[in-house]
Short mmCIF file of all heavy atoms in Angstrom, two decimals:
data_model
loop_
_atom_site.label_atom_id
_atom_site.label_comp_id
_atom_site.label_asym_id
_atom_site.label_seq_id
_atom_site.Cartn_x
_atom_site.Cartn_y
_atom_site.Cartn_z
N PHE A 174 6.14 -2.88 3.13
CA PHE A 174 5.14 -3.58 3.91
C PHE A 174 3.79 -3.07 3.65
O PHE A 174 3.18 -2.26 4.42
CB PHE A 174 5.45 -3.41 5.49
CG PHE A 174 6.79 -3.87 5.83
CD1 PHE A 174 7.94 -3.10 5.87
CD2 PHE A 174 6.92 -5.22 6.32
CE1 PHE A 174 9.16 -3.55 6.25
CE2 PHE A 174 8.19 -5.70 6.65
CZ PHE A 174 9.29 -4.89 6.67
N PRO A 175 3.14 -3.54 2.55
CA PRO A 175 1.87 -2.92 2.14
C PRO A 175 0.69 -3.28 3.09
O PRO A 175 -0.28 -2.53 3.05
CB PRO A 175 1.63 -3.61 0.75
CG PRO A 175 2.44 -4.81 0.73
CD PRO A 175 3.66 -4.46 1.59
N TYR A 176 0.77 -4.31 3.83
CA TYR A 176 -0.32 -4.76 4.67
C TYR A 176 -0.08 -4.59 6.20
O TYR A 176 -0.93 -5.04 6.96
CB TYR A 176 -0.69 -6.21 4.33
CG TYR A 176 -1.10 -6.39 2.90
CD1 TYR A 176 -0.19 -6.74 1.90
CD2 TYR A 176 -2.38 -6.10 2.55
CE1 TYR A 176 -0.51 -6.87 0.61
CE2 TYR A 176 -2.81 -6.23 1.22
CZ TYR A 176 -1.90 -6.57 0.23
OH TYR A 176 -2.25 -6.72 -1.07
N VAL A 177 0.99 -3.94 6.60
CA VAL A 177 1.26 -3.78 8.02
C VAL A 177 1.17 -2.29 8.31
O VAL A 177 1.80 -1.48 7.67
CB VAL A 177 2.71 -4.36 8.35
CG1 VAL A 177 2.89 -4.21 9.85
CG2 VAL A 177 2.91 -5.75 7.84
N PHE A 178 0.49 -1.99 9.43
CA PHE A 178 0.16 -0.58 9.78
C PHE A 178 0.44 -0.36 11.30
O PHE A 178 -0.40 -0.60 12.14
CB PHE A 178 -1.29 -0.26 9.49
CG PHE A 178 -1.61 -0.28 7.95
CD1 PHE A 178 -1.92 -1.43 7.37
CD2 PHE A 178 -1.56 0.90 7.23
CE1 PHE A 178 -2.22 -1.50 5.95
CE2 PHE A 178 -1.85 0.88 5.85
CZ PHE A 178 -2.18 -0.33 5.26
N PRO A 179 1.59 0.20 11.58
CA PRO A 179 1.95 0.53 13.00
C PRO A 179 1.26 1.90 13.32
O PRO A 179 1.98 2.92 13.53
CB PRO A 179 3.45 0.55 13.04
CG PRO A 179 3.86 0.97 11.68
CD PRO A 179 2.76 0.41 10.75
N LEU A 180 -0.01 1.91 13.43
CA LEU A 180 -0.77 3.15 13.48
C LEU A 180 -0.38 4.03 14.76
O LEU A 180 -0.16 3.42 15.78
CB LEU A 180 -2.25 2.96 13.40
CG LEU A 180 -2.78 2.29 12.20
CD1 LEU A 180 -4.26 2.08 12.34
CD2 LEU A 180 -2.49 3.06 10.95
N LEU A 181 -0.45 5.27 14.58
CA LEU A 181 -0.23 6.29 15.63
C LEU A 181 1.22 6.39 16.09
O LEU A 181 1.77 7.50 16.22
CB LEU A 181 -1.13 6.06 16.89
CG LEU A 181 -2.59 6.22 16.76
CD1 LEU A 181 -3.31 5.96 18.09
CD2 LEU A 181 -2.92 7.55 16.14
N LEU A 182 1.93 5.30 16.29
CA LEU A 182 3.26 5.40 16.96
C LEU A 182 4.07 4.13 16.68
O LEU A 182 3.46 2.99 16.83
CB LEU A 182 3.13 5.57 18.47
CG LEU A 182 4.30 6.04 19.28
CD1 LEU A 182 4.68 7.48 18.89
CD2 LEU A 182 3.97 5.98 20.74
N ASN A 183 5.29 4.19 16.30
CA ASN A 183 6.25 3.05 16.32
C ASN A 183 7.28 3.25 17.35
O ASN A 183 7.45 4.31 18.00
CB ASN A 183 6.79 2.85 14.93
CG ASN A 183 7.82 3.85 14.46
OD1 ASN A 183 8.73 4.27 15.24
ND2 ASN A 183 7.73 4.36 13.25
N PRO A 184 8.06 2.20 17.65
CA PRO A 184 8.97 2.32 18.81
C PRO A 184 9.96 3.51 18.61
O PRO A 184 10.40 4.11 19.65
CB PRO A 184 9.71 0.97 18.73
CG PRO A 184 8.66 0.07 18.19
CD PRO A 184 8.01 0.84 17.15
N TYR A 185 10.42 3.84 17.37
CA TYR A 185 11.44 4.86 17.24
C TYR A 185 10.81 6.22 17.26
O TYR A 185 11.39 7.11 17.97
CB TYR A 185 12.07 4.69 15.85
CG TYR A 185 13.23 3.71 15.83
CD1 TYR A 185 13.26 2.63 16.78
CD2 TYR A 185 14.25 3.81 14.94
CE1 TYR A 185 14.20 1.76 16.78
CE2 TYR A 185 15.36 2.80 14.88
CZ TYR A 185 15.28 1.80 15.83
OH TYR A 185 16.29 0.84 15.80
N SER A 186 9.57 6.40 16.75
CA SER A 186 8.95 7.73 17.01
C SER A 186 8.60 7.95 18.42
O SER A 186 8.63 9.13 18.87
CB SER A 186 7.70 7.85 16.08
OG SER A 186 6.75 6.80 16.30
N GLU A 187 8.22 6.93 19.13
CA GLU A 187 8.01 7.01 20.55
C GLU A 187 9.32 7.50 21.27
O GLU A 187 9.20 8.41 22.11
CB GLU A 187 7.62 5.71 21.18
CG GLU A 187 7.55 5.66 22.73
CD GLU A 187 7.58 4.28 23.35
OE1 GLU A 187 8.67 3.69 23.44
OE2 GLU A 187 6.48 3.74 23.63
N THR A 188 10.40 6.93 20.95
CA THR A 188 11.70 7.27 21.57
C THR A 188 12.02 8.79 21.29
O THR A 188 12.43 9.51 22.18
CB THR A 188 12.81 6.35 21.09
OG1 THR A 188 12.50 5.02 21.37
CG2 THR A 188 14.14 6.77 21.67
N SER A 189 11.77 9.15 20.02
CA SER A 189 12.16 10.59 19.69
C SER A 189 11.12 11.48 20.40
O SER A 189 11.57 12.55 20.85
CB SER A 189 11.97 10.71 18.11
OG SER A 189 12.07 12.03 17.68
N GLY A 190 9.85 11.06 20.51
CA GLY A 190 8.89 11.99 21.26
C GLY A 190 9.34 12.14 22.73
O GLY A 190 9.23 13.18 23.27
N ILE A 191 9.77 11.03 23.38
CA ILE A 191 10.22 11.10 24.75
C ILE A 191 11.41 12.07 24.91
O ILE A 191 11.47 12.98 25.81
CB ILE A 191 10.57 9.77 25.30
CG1 ILE A 191 9.28 8.88 25.48
CG2 ILE A 191 11.37 9.82 26.67
CD1 ILE A 191 9.59 7.47 25.84
N ILE A 192 12.43 11.94 24.03
CA ILE A 192 13.59 12.82 24.10
C ILE A 192 13.20 14.29 23.73
O ILE A 192 13.72 15.22 24.41
CB ILE A 192 14.70 12.30 23.17
CG1 ILE A 192 15.20 10.93 23.56
CG2 ILE A 192 15.88 13.31 23.06
CD1 ILE A 192 15.70 10.80 24.98
N ASN A 193 12.27 14.47 22.83
CA ASN A 193 11.87 15.86 22.57
C ASN A 193 11.14 16.41 23.79
O ASN A 193 11.29 17.59 24.03
CB ASN A 193 10.95 15.84 21.32
CG ASN A 193 11.65 15.68 20.05
OD1 ASN A 193 12.90 15.69 19.99
ND2 ASN A 193 10.97 15.46 18.96
N TYR A 194 10.31 15.62 24.47
CA TYR A 194 9.69 16.11 25.62
C TYR A 194 10.67 16.49 26.78
O TYR A 194 10.58 17.53 27.39
CB TYR A 194 8.73 15.01 26.26
CG TYR A 194 8.32 15.36 27.67
CD1 TYR A 194 7.42 16.38 27.89
CD2 TYR A 194 8.78 14.58 28.67
CE1 TYR A 194 7.00 16.65 29.28
CE2 TYR A 194 8.39 14.89 30.02
CZ TYR A 194 7.52 15.89 30.27
OH TYR A 194 7.13 16.23 31.53
N LEU A 195 11.71 15.64 26.98
CA LEU A 195 12.69 15.92 27.97
C LEU A 195 13.47 17.17 27.55
O LEU A 195 13.81 18.01 28.51
CB LEU A 195 13.67 14.78 28.06
CG LEU A 195 13.11 13.46 28.74
CD1 LEU A 195 14.12 12.40 28.79
CD2 LEU A 195 12.55 13.81 30.14
N GLY A 196 13.68 17.47 26.25
CA GLY A 196 14.36 18.70 25.86
C GLY A 196 13.47 19.88 26.18
O GLY A 196 13.99 20.89 26.66
N THR A 197 12.17 19.74 25.89
CA THR A 197 11.30 20.82 26.30
C THR A 197 11.26 21.12 27.75
O THR A 197 11.27 22.25 28.16
CB THR A 197 9.77 20.45 25.81
OG1 THR A 197 9.79 20.28 24.46
CG2 THR A 197 8.83 21.56 26.18
N ARG A 198 11.29 20.08 28.51
CA ARG A 198 11.33 20.15 30.02
C ARG A 198 12.54 20.79 30.51
O ARG A 198 12.56 21.59 31.52
CB ARG A 198 11.15 18.77 30.63
CG ARG A 198 11.21 18.77 32.20
CD ARG A 198 10.65 17.40 32.63
NE ARG A 198 10.97 17.22 34.03
CZ ARG A 198 10.45 16.21 34.77
NH1 ARG A 198 9.60 15.35 34.29
NH2 ARG A 198 10.74 16.12 35.96
N GLU A 199 13.65 20.60 29.79
CA GLU A 199 14.97 21.20 30.22
C GLU A 199 15.15 22.63 29.74
O GLU A 199 16.10 23.31 29.96
CB GLU A 199 16.12 20.34 29.74
CG GLU A 199 16.24 19.02 30.51
CD GLU A 199 16.58 19.23 32.00
OE1 GLU A 199 17.29 20.20 32.26
OE2 GLU A 199 16.13 18.48 32.79
N GLY A 200 14.22 23.03 28.79
CA GLY A 200 14.32 24.44 28.22
C GLY A 200 14.89 24.47 26.81
O GLY A 200 15.32 25.48 26.32
N GLY A 201 15.01 23.30 26.15
CA GLY A 201 15.49 23.26 24.76
C GLY A 201 16.37 21.96 24.56
O GLY A 201 17.01 21.47 25.51
N GLN A 202 16.36 21.52 23.35
CA GLN A 202 17.12 20.29 23.07
C GLN A 202 18.60 20.43 23.35
O GLN A 202 19.30 19.49 23.79
CB GLN A 202 16.97 19.88 21.59
CG GLN A 202 15.51 19.59 21.17
CD GLN A 202 14.85 18.47 21.98
OE1 GLN A 202 14.01 18.77 22.86
NE2 GLN A 202 15.25 17.25 21.73
N ASP A 203 19.15 21.63 23.16
CA ASP A 203 20.55 21.85 23.46
C ASP A 203 20.91 21.70 24.95
O ASP A 203 22.01 21.44 25.36
CB ASP A 203 20.99 23.30 23.04
CG ASP A 203 20.11 24.31 23.70
OD1 ASP A 203 18.89 24.25 23.78
OD2 ASP A 203 20.75 25.37 24.12
N LYS A 204 19.85 21.83 25.77
CA LYS A 204 20.03 21.69 27.26
C LYS A 204 20.25 20.24 27.67
O LYS A 204 20.52 19.96 28.82
CB LYS A 204 18.90 22.32 28.01
CG LYS A 204 18.73 23.83 27.68
CD LYS A 204 19.90 24.62 28.18
CE LYS A 204 19.64 26.15 28.25
NZ LYS A 204 19.27 26.65 26.99
N LEU A 205 19.94 19.33 26.74
CA LEU A 205 20.19 17.84 27.03
C LEU A 205 21.65 17.50 27.11
O LEU A 205 21.99 16.48 27.68
CB LEU A 205 19.46 17.02 26.03
CG LEU A 205 17.95 17.02 25.99
CD1 LEU A 205 17.36 16.23 24.82
CD2 LEU A 205 17.36 16.43 27.33
N LYS A 206 22.52 18.30 26.57
CA LYS A 206 23.91 18.01 26.58
C LYS A 206 24.43 17.87 27.98
O LYS A 206 24.29 18.75 28.80
CB LYS A 206 24.66 19.11 25.76
CG LYS A 206 26.17 18.75 25.57
CD LYS A 206 26.85 19.80 24.72
CE LYS A 206 28.36 19.43 24.47
NZ LYS A 206 29.00 20.43 23.60
N GLY A 207 25.08 16.73 28.18
CA GLY A 207 25.72 16.52 29.55
C GLY A 207 24.72 15.83 30.54
O GLY A 207 25.17 15.38 31.57
N LYS A 208 23.46 15.72 30.15
CA LYS A 208 22.54 15.07 31.01
C LYS A 208 22.74 13.50 31.00
O LYS A 208 23.31 12.97 30.01
CB LYS A 208 21.06 15.34 30.58
CG LYS A 208 20.70 16.82 30.72
CD LYS A 208 20.66 17.33 32.10
CE LYS A 208 20.23 18.76 32.22
NZ LYS A 208 20.28 19.24 33.66
N SER A 209 22.18 12.88 31.99
CA SER A 209 22.36 11.38 32.08
C SER A 209 20.95 10.74 32.09
O SER A 209 20.09 11.18 32.90
CB SER A 209 23.08 11.06 33.40
OG SER A 209 23.07 9.63 33.55
N ILE A 210 20.76 9.77 31.16
CA ILE A 210 19.44 9.15 31.13
C ILE A 210 19.72 7.62 31.15
O ILE A 210 20.59 7.07 30.52
CB ILE A 210 18.75 9.44 29.79
CG1 ILE A 210 18.43 10.93 29.76
CG2 ILE A 210 17.51 8.63 29.55
CD1 ILE A 210 17.82 11.42 28.40
N VAL A 211 18.93 6.91 31.97
CA VAL A 211 18.90 5.44 32.02
C VAL A 211 17.66 4.95 31.41
O VAL A 211 16.55 5.46 31.67
CB VAL A 211 19.04 4.92 33.43
CG1 VAL A 211 18.70 3.40 33.53
CG2 VAL A 211 20.50 5.11 34.03
N VAL A 212 17.77 3.98 30.53
CA VAL A 212 16.59 3.30 29.95
C VAL A 212 16.53 1.93 30.65
O VAL A 212 17.39 1.14 30.49
CB VAL A 212 16.70 3.22 28.46
CG1 VAL A 212 15.48 2.51 27.85
CG2 VAL A 212 16.95 4.50 27.76
N LEU A 213 15.45 1.72 31.29
CA LEU A 213 15.13 0.49 31.98
C LEU A 213 14.12 -0.32 31.13
O LEU A 213 12.96 0.13 31.02
CB LEU A 213 14.60 0.72 33.38
CG LEU A 213 14.51 -0.53 34.34
CD1 LEU A 213 15.88 -1.04 34.71
CD2 LEU A 213 13.70 -0.16 35.57
N TYR A 214 14.58 -1.41 30.49
CA TYR A 214 13.75 -1.97 29.48
C TYR A 214 13.40 -3.46 29.82
O TYR A 214 14.17 -4.16 30.41
CB TYR A 214 14.41 -1.87 28.11
CG TYR A 214 15.69 -2.64 27.96
CD1 TYR A 214 15.71 -4.01 27.53
CD2 TYR A 214 16.93 -2.07 28.21
CE1 TYR A 214 16.91 -4.68 27.38
CE2 TYR A 214 18.23 -2.69 28.02
CZ TYR A 214 18.14 -4.02 27.59
OH TYR A 214 19.31 -4.73 27.45
N HIS A 215 12.26 -3.80 29.35
CA HIS A 215 11.79 -5.21 29.44
C HIS A 215 12.62 -6.16 28.63
O HIS A 215 12.95 -5.88 27.49
CB HIS A 215 10.31 -5.25 28.95
CG HIS A 215 9.55 -6.52 29.19
ND1 HIS A 215 9.66 -7.59 28.42
CD2 HIS A 215 8.66 -6.86 30.17
CE1 HIS A 215 8.88 -8.59 28.89
NE2 HIS A 215 8.28 -8.14 29.91
N GLY A 216 13.01 -7.30 29.21
CA GLY A 216 13.87 -8.22 28.58
C GLY A 216 13.25 -9.03 27.52
O GLY A 216 13.11 -10.31 27.66
#
Side-chain angles (χ1 to χ4, degrees):
F174 298 91
Y176 297 96
V177 187
F178 294 84
L180 299 179
L181 294 184
L182 195 67
N183 72 45
Y185 279 24
S186 56
E187 173 198 81
T188 301
S189 178
I191 289 173
I192 296 303
N193 286 351
Y194 166 73
L195 292 179
T197 300
R198 180 165 166 169
E199 290 294 328
Q202 299 302 104
D203 59 313
K204 300 296 194 300
L205 290 174
K206 187 174 183 179
K208 297 293 182 182
S209 172
I210 298 174
V211 165
V212 181
L213 190 68
Y214 64 89
H215 190 278

